[in-house]
């Protein structure tokens, strides 16, 4: 019997990186999944491996999200949990970040999770108990050069999650994961540059980059009764980076 047996869960960003790893792991734990990503081909590939429904969907498009969540709920027979992993990163000094890029990062990274939760809320309320897991970032709690727009979006997700914890309890728990540098497509520019990689590894207490499995374990914790008395929390999974 899996730790997520019969749990009906929506995962965004499931074509790649953390969202994809979480989808495969949750499937192995017995969850029934609806997977969303802007990359329709990529999410279909993950869905085929996770025996899941796949939806090509831009989380920033509220009407599209409402339609997809309604279809996902119908197909799953309800929704017990959400994992918001879709996200984008544009690294630029603050004075070079364009208004268009700012708008897009806020729309995808902050308003996207809002759109998903807003559409899923009636279904989460109808479930026996429900969980929301938002992937924020260490960037949401510490300033780093060139990440003003991204960090603002992730700080927003973090505070929004805390407020959700307050407003949606006791029936629905909402928690945030704060990844450090995790090896995915998003950080390929860094992990494949030996100098940058060494610097990133040296900067953290555990002297390595994170793996998607590090994030999977945190998402599993927050999506099961293992975290039954935890809501509005923010868990750094960063090798010891954000507290330094
Ligand atoms: N990799 C890291 O070091 C790191 C660190 C901290 C936080 N994060 C966050 O973790 C989450 C997962 O990132 P990842 O590292 O797996 O990156 P990734 O690029 O491998 O995966 C992100 C996925 O989100 C999808 N996506 C992007 N915009 C979308 C949209 N508008 N609608 C639907 N899907 C969209 C992409 O198509 C992709 O499949 C993101 O929110 C990211 O900001 C990543």
């Amino acid at each position: 019997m899996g730790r997520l047996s019969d749990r009906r869960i929506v995962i965004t960003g499931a074509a790649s990186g953390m969202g994809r790893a979480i989808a495969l792991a949750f499937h192995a734990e017995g969850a029934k999944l609806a997977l969303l990503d802007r990359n329709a081909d990529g999410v279909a590939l993950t869905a085929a491996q996770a025996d899941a429904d796949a939806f090509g969907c831009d989380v920033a498009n509220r009407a599209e999200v409402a339609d997809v969540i309604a279809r996902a709920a119908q197909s799953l027979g309800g929704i017990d949990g959400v994992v918001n992993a879709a996200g984008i990163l544009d690294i630029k000094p603050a004075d070079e970040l364009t208004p268009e890029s700012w708008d897009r990062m806020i729309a995808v990274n902050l308003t996207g999770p809002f759109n998903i939760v807003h559409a899923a809320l009636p279904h989460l309320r109808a479930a026996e108990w429900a969980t929301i897991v938002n992937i924020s970032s260490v960037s949401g709690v510490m300033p780093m050069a060139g990440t003003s727009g991204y960090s603002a979006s992730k700080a927003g997700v973090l505070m929004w999650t805390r407020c959700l914890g307050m407003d949606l309890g006791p029936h629905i728990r909402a928690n945030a994961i704060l990844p450090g540098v995790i090896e995915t497509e998003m950080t390929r520019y860094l992990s494949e540059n030996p100098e940058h990689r060494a610097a990133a590894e040296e900067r953290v207490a555990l002297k390595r980059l994170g793996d998607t499995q590090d994030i999977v374990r945190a998402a599993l914790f927050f999506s099961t009764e293992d975290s039954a008395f935890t809501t509005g929390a923010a868990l750094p999974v960063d090798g010891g980076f954000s507290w330094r």
Side-chain angles (χ1 to χ4, degrees), residues 200-212:
E201 288 173 342
E202 186 49 37
R203 205 161 50 201
V204 302
L206 299 183
K207 304 298 176 205
R208 68 170 174 89
L209 302 189
D211 183 78
T212 53

Side-chain angles (χ1 to χ4, degrees), residues 2-239:
R3 294 166 66 190
L4 291 170
S5 255
D6 296 328
R7 299 290 289 165
R8 301 155 299 179
I9 298 180
V10 172
I11 303 173
T12 74
S16 173
M18 297 177 202
R20 176 177 156 77
I22 291 167
L24 297 177
F26 278 25
H27 167 62
E29 292 288 351
K32 290 167 69 180
L33 302 173
L35 308 179
L36 276 65
D37 202 289
R38 194 183 43 177
N39 175 352
D41 291 344
V43 76
L45 220 60
T46 307
Q49 290 174 266
D51 195 18
D53 293 325
F55 299 93
C57 172
D58 179 349
V59 295
N61 184 328
R62 192 163 294 150
E64 206 173 294
V65 166
D67 175 56
V68 161
I69 292 294
R71 287 195 281 144
Q74 174 129 45
S75 160
L76 295 175
I79 300 175
D80 302 298
V82 163
V83 178
N84 279 305
I88 53 172
L89 165 70
D90 183 16
I91 298 187
K92 293 257 165 45
D95 55 352
E96 290 174 24
L97 186 70
T98 64
E100 292 73 24
S101 184
W102 168 275
D103 285 351
R104 185 69 186 152
M105 274 191 285
I106 298 294
V108 175
N109 295 352
L110 178 56
T111 308
F114 168 84
N115 291 340
I116 295 284
V117 167
H118 177 72
L121 206 46
H123 306 289
L124 297 173
R125 285 200 193 285
E128 200 179 324
W129 55 277
T131 56
I132 296 168
V133 179
N134 293 323
I135 311 287
S136 172
S137 170
V138 291
S139 298
V141 291
M142 60 190 289
M144 276 181 275
T147 69
S148 59
Y150 181 76
S151 296
S153 72
K154 292 299 187 179
V157 167
L158 172 54
M159 187 50 74
W160 174 64
T161 306
R162 288 188 169 140
C163 293
L164 286 183
M166 190 63 90
D167 284 354
L168 301 183
H171 189 65
I172 302 172
R173 297 186 292 105
N175 292 289
I177 299 171
L178 275 50
V181 181
I182 311 294
E183 277 195 76
T184 67
E185 277 306 308
M186 187 175 277
T187 50
R188 187 184 290 278
Y189 72 95
L190 185 153
S191 61
E192 289 187 351
N193 176 318
E195 210 175 299
H196 289 174
R197 185 187 180 102
E201 288 173 342
E202 186 49 37
R203 205 161 50 201
V204 302
L206 299 183
K207 304 298 176 205
R208 68 170 174 89
L209 302 189
D211 183 78
T212 53
Q213 292 309 310
D214 293 311
I215 304 303
V216 162
R217 284 187 287 273
L220 201 49
F221 172 67
F222 283 139
S223 299
T224 63
E225 291 278 69
D226 283 356
S227 58
F229 200 47
T230 304
T231 195
L235 178 66
V237 182
D238 64 357

